[in-house]
Amino acid sequence: MLISRPFGARGGFTLVEVSIALVLAALVLGLVFAVGRRLGKQSSGEAERLAVSEQLMAAAEVLPIDLRGLSPLGGDIALGEARDSSLQLRQTIANALVCSASASTWTVAPYLGAGGRSVVPGVQDGDTAWLLSDDDAGEHWRAVRLRAARRAPGGCSLVTDAEGAKVFDVTHQWSLDLRDSAIASTGAIIRVTRPIRFSFYRANDGHWYLGLRTWNGLSLEFNGIQPLSGPFGPPSDGRGTRFIYFDSNGAGFASGTADTRGIARIEALLHAEPGDSASVRDSLTVVTALRNRR
């Protein structure tokens, strides 16, 4: 039986039509792949930029906290230790009111910090109490080396009103054992400091970081360095990750200057780079004007 086909009807696709469809599909897939690849690169680049920004901001948040309240004239910056790659200073770890005192022991009431809390770190060899003294030459801080600290019972008879109790922690006093014999007047103000050292250093992964060394009272030396932020560009490759120091007139100090008492401003030039790629770089200058430069 012969079945006729309507005029103009087709039974399938020609080879030409199939070829055109395949070419168009390949073009569409190629376009989708290219767009996806481009979006992936943009996403990766944005992630790198965010990582670099976090590296810089970590250092920008940490450094001013320890630098702003320094007193160069009082010796808070160690002589000869203001270098382009490192900075050694005295960190204030406590402030307190002297409630009673002998030549070998002071009983103190710490200042209350944020949230009404007082924290006095365990005093160790190498810590120093600075006693605010007032004489004919004016106010100055006298250094007294400390041996240890322990909790002291009782209250501070110098603080009798509610306002004073909001400033000093009279219920958690501390007895400070002195290595240097010194007499302190009741009501005197002291601050306790400990040496610390900021350094730009090269880690085992080959990258440079900003790190911190804290003081060890048992070994009487600095502990191993702990990273704070990074990685950064090397200090020696011309990109200039380093510390810079200025006096009150804007004149610079040479690295390792013997006399650090005139330092009024410290700048940290931070040139960040990703840990696994050099495609994204950024920089930041952290400027800290010292409050107690006079």
Side-chain angles (χ1 to χ4, degrees):
M1 180 176 178
L2 181 63
I3 299 175
S4 63
R5 182 178 295 169
F7 177 78
R10 302 174 60 181
F13 298 100
T14 65
L15 181 59
V16 174
E17 291 173 329
V18 172
S19 299
I20 293 175
L22 291 175
V23 170
L24 291 175
L27 290 175
V28 172
L29 290 175
L31 180 61
V32 170
F33 176 77
V35 172
R37 185 177 181 183
R38 181 178 180 183
L39 290 176
K41 287 184 177 180
Q42 290 178 343
S43 177
S44 177
E46 185 62 26
E48 286 187 354
R49 282 189 287 273
L50 289 174
V52 167
S53 178
E54 289 178 357
Q55 295 163 15
L56 295 172
M57 292 310 299
E61 291 174 358
V62 170
L63 287 173
I65 295 175
D66 289 310
L67 301 185
R68 195 178 305 279
L70 293 179
S71 174
L73 280 177
D76 281 352
I77 301 176
L79 300 181
E81 293 296 340
R83 305 177 183 276
D84 53 6
S85 60
S86 64
L87 170 61
Q88 182 176 322
L89 53 91
R90 292 193 298 235
Q91 180 187 43
T92 298
I93 60 175
N95 296 278
L97 171 74
V98 177
C99 297
S100 61
S102 68
S104 60
T105 302
W106 298 345
T107 301
V108 301
Y111 275 107
L112 288 171
R117 295 175 298 177
S118 67
V119 178
V120 178
V123 170
Q124 57 188 21
D125 277 355
D127 292 348
T128 304
W130 296 86
L131 176 65
L132 183 60
S133 302
D134 189 3
D135 53 31
D136 293 340
E139 291 185 348
H140 62 277
W141 293 93
R142 177 187 174 190
V144 180
R145 294 182 300 166
L146 299 179
R147 186 188 307 275
R150 62 184 186 279
R151 290 285 191 178
C156 184
S157 61
L158 298 180
V159 181
T160 58
D161 59 349
E163 289 301 318
K166 293 180 181 179
V167 178
F168 301 101
D169 186 357
V170 295
T171 60
H172 298 90
Q173 296 182 98
W174 288 81
S175 288
L176 304 180
D177 296 332
L178 312 183
R179 182 170 291 278
D180 298 326
S181 178
I183 298 296
S185 302
T186 57
I189 300 298
I190 68 167
R191 62 188 180 103
V192 180
T193 64
R194 178 174 298 164
I196 60 173
R197 177 180 291 163
F198 290 102
S199 299
F200 292 108
Y201 72 101
R202 190 174 187 177
N204 292 333
D205 62 2
H207 296 287
W208 289 79
Y209 295 84
L210 173 65
L212 175 67
R213 294 180 186 270
T214 56
W215 182 256
N216 189 315
L218 295 178
S219 63
L220 298 181
E221 61 183 8
F222 285 101
N223 294 313
I225 197 163
Q226 298 297 320
L228 296 177
S229 63
F232 297 112
S236 59
D237 71 347
R239 282 175 282 178
T241 298
R242 64 192 188 276
F243 292 111
I244 307 178
Y245 310 93
F246 301 90
D247 64 16
S248 57
N249 296 318
F253 287 84
S255 175
T257 179
D259 190 355
T260 59
R261 294 174 299 175
I263 295 176
R265 187 175 84 247
I266 301 174
E267 296 186 3
L269 275 63
L270 307 173
H271 295 261
E273 63 182 23
D276 299 319
S277 170
S279 60
V280 178
R281 291 180 180 173
D282 199 357
S283 61
L284 177 69
T285 300
V286 181
V287 181
T288 305
L290 309 185
R291 290 198 186 106
N292 305 309
R293 58 184 180 271
R294 294 182 179 179

